[in-house]
Amino acid sequence: MKKAAAIEALKFVKPGMNIGLGTGSTANHFIEALSVKVKEGLDIKGVPTSRASKDLAEKHGIVLTNLDAQPGIDLTVDGTDEFDPELRLIKGGGGALLFEKIVASSSRLMVVIADESKKVEKLGKFPLPVEINRFGTTATAWKIERAFAHLKLDAKLVLRLQDGKPFVTDGGHFIIDCAIGEIPEPGKLHTLLKSIPGVVETGLFIGLCGVVLMGTPKGVKEFRRG
């Protein structure tokens, strides 16, 4: 179903585009599908959102550029951990949320590809990743806890680990995964968390996604914001 959604996303691709390439298993399906078109002669350039997506795109022969050379891009195609009826997202399970958000916010259109398991009525089933500066980790986590308490949200915070050590993002930061449950006001929570010194970015993507393509056993269903 993810692969079907990835292939469907190709309908948004036009010759000459600069395309943001998301990170994760679902986004990888799109990179691979896009590479087939490139081998057939499609002229595009990719803007990877992580070392992993860069390596995969290069492996498949996709010409790459970056936001320094091309600060405004045409399209980003990426996966998601959750999306709600307003096409607000939780992202960051793959650890690339900061770069993904920078690329998405630089794009004319963000298309998200997903399967049915990612659709929720209210965000929060998936733990919210919060990317933080490595300096003052404990102090920043304490302030994050206070922010959740201020909004009367009961959150369990866990520093993400890899091989027994703190996971480090491509940007050199740590990630705190926050198990919250339903988030009644995602926009308010994002604003409050971003006001904390030490918080680099949150996994709440609000007002960025324009289209969700959701793979189902009966085909791909399309949702549009607004």
Side-chain angles (χ1 to χ4, degrees):
M1 290 186 284
K2 292 177 181 178
K3 188 173 182 179
I7 292 170
E8 184 73 9
L10 291 172
K11 71 182 184 182
F12 293 96
V13 175
K14 307 297 180 188
M17 277 187 164
N18 294 294
I19 302 171
L21 305 175
T23 296
S25 60
T26 306
N28 288 348
H29 285 306
F30 174 74
I31 293 173
E32 290 164 358
L34 181 64
S35 73
V36 173
K37 297 297 181 182
V38 168
K39 289 170 185 172
E40 292 173 354
L42 177 67
D43 177 27
I44 57 91
K45 290 182 180 178
V47 180
T49 55
S50 66
R51 292 192 189 104
S53 59
K54 176 179 181 291
D55 290 346
L56 184 63
E58 287 181 334
K59 175 184 174 183
H60 286 290
I62 296 174
V63 176
L64 300 180
T65 185
N66 56 56
L67 291 180
D68 293 319
Q70 190 64 46
I73 61 179
D74 302 291
L75 171 70
T76 287
V77 179
D78 205 346
T80 190
D81 297 308
E82 284 186 348
F83 73 94
D84 73 4
E86 295 181 40
L87 304 197
R88 296 175 295 192
L89 317 172
I90 285 182
K91 287 179 53 57
L97 67 98
L98 175 60
F99 289 5
E100 287 174 333
K101 189 174 282 191
I102 292 172
V103 171
S105 65
S106 303
S107 307
R108 290 192 181 95
L109 175 66
M110 180 187 192
V111 174
V112 163
I113 49 180
D115 60 31
E116 291 179 305
S117 69
K118 309 303 183 184
K119 186 176 184 293
V120 296
E121 284 305 309
K122 288 190 177 181
L123 297 178
K125 181 179 178 181
F126 190 90
L128 173 65
V130 179
E131 190 160 342
I132 66 168
N133 195 284
R134 292 161 71 172
F135 177 80
T137 301
T138 301
T140 301
W142 174 70
K143 293 167 194 171
I144 291 172
E145 285 183 326
R146 286 173 61 86
F148 284 123
H150 177 73
L151 295 179
K152 295 181 172 55
L153 295 173
D154 183 17
K156 180 181 179 181
L157 278 59
V158 177
L159 181 66
R160 188 179 297 185
L161 302 178
Q162 185 177 53
D163 299 326
K165 298 179 181 179
F167 172 85
V168 180
T169 70
D170 285 354
H173 306 124
F174 291 162
I175 289 180
I176 294 177
D177 291 307
C178 308
I180 310 164
E182 288 187 356
I183 303 172
E185 298 179 277
K188 189 173 182 179
L189 176 60
H190 170 73
T191 299
L192 184 58
L193 291 174
K194 282 279 286 182
S195 72
I196 298 171
V199 170
V200 178
E201 192 52 82
T202 85
L204 288 164
F205 282 52
I206 298 171
L208 291 174
C209 175
V211 176
V212 170
L213 299 173
M214 184 180 76
T216 78
K218 296 182 179 180
V220 178
K221 190 172 181 179
E222 182 174 312
F223 303 87
R224 288 181 178 262
R225 181 163 55 92

